[in-house]
Amino acid sequence: ALNLCMALSVKYTFDAHAAEFFMRFSGAKEMAAYISSLEDRYPRKDYVIVAHPSAKAAALLPYLPERQFWYADIENFGTFTRFVKKQQEGEGLSNLEVVTRARQFFPVLSQVLILVQRPLEFNQAFGYRFHLLQSVDMQLFGYGDERYYLYKPVYQAPSEAAGVTGLEGTSSPL
């Protein structure tokens, strides 16, 4: 029985080491590299990154020194997160609720980047069209839940919004 257990553990160990060598555990490093490349073109003071969920978004911050995210679940700026009741309550926010909270705190969404874990289910809301700047959703091993999608809201004049599919907001952008 001991030999059988050893034989089975060798295969599992080999598979785990192969996965760790050939696959990523997280997409955080790649997304952080992309955000850093944005900072080369656009000064950091010109935009805020709204991130959700905070526990997953915080994985990018070791690669982005001196950067803070505005976390939609706790509705506040931060770097690394402490697990608090407000964060737990906000963990299941929809992407639309993330954008809605961002708009409440930053009325001009064109000065915000939206970092979420799932692709947006809509491409337009509140007079803005959401352009996907970068996605990091390659095959991950382990939990596989550190995939990232970064969007840039671009304001659309009402005449430009005609014919755009997706969720349509009824509010003005300001």
Side-chain angles (χ1 to χ4, degrees):
L2 183 59
N3 288 337
L4 178 62
C5 288
M6 287 295 274
L8 292 174
S9 71
V10 168
K11 182 192 178 333
Y12 173 78
T13 301
F14 176 77
D15 290 346
H17 284 292
E20 191 167 335
F21 186 76
F22 292 110
M23 297 170 62
R24 298 247 184 243
F25 187 80
S26 169
K29 186 175 184 179
E30 288 80 5
M31 184 56 79
Y34 181 79
I35 290 171
S36 291
S37 75
L38 287 178
E39 291 176 356
D40 292 340
R41 292 180 281 175
Y42 307 109
R44 184 180 303 191
K45 65 180 174 29
D46 289 348
Y47 64 94
V48 172
I49 297 177
V50 172
H52 180 73
S54 57
K56 307 297 187 239
L60 280 77
L61 292 171
Y63 305 106
L64 299 168
E66 300 178 23
R67 166 61 87 177
Q68 288 189 0
F69 291 154
W70 187 84
Y71 294 121
D73 48 8
I74 62 172
E75 298 178 312
N76 204 352
F77 282 95
T79 52
F80 301 99
T81 61
R82 293 186 325 227
F83 291 98
V84 294
K85 184 176 181 182
K86 191 170 185 177
Q87 180 187 13
Q88 273 186 318
E89 292 169 353
E91 184 78 20
L93 293 177
S94 70
N95 285 339
L96 180 59
E97 182 62 27
V98 170
V99 171
T100 301
R101 287 185 181 195
R103 187 169 176 270
Q104 289 171 348
F105 284 86
F106 309 102
V108 182
L109 283 179
S110 57
Q111 297 172 344
V112 169
L113 297 179
I114 307 287
L115 177 69
V116 289
Q117 193 176 7
R118 298 178 314 270
L120 294 181
E121 302 85 11
F122 52 90
N123 61 12
Q124 180 181 336
F126 305 115
Y128 289 86
R129 184 172 175 94
F130 293 84
H131 292 281
L132 178 64
L133 297 177
Q134 180 73 1
S135 67
V136 179
D137 59 359
M138 73 289 228
Q139 185 176 6
L140 302 174
F141 79 96
Y143 299 115
D145 59 355
E146 288 186 7
R147 292 178 169 85
Y148 301 100
Y149 301 86
L150 186 68
Y151 290 88
K152 172 76 174 143
V154 177
Y155 176 68
Q156 285 187 215
S159 63
E160 295 174 8
V164 175
T165 60
L167 182 68
E168 296 183 7
T170 57
S171 304
S172 71
L174 297 175

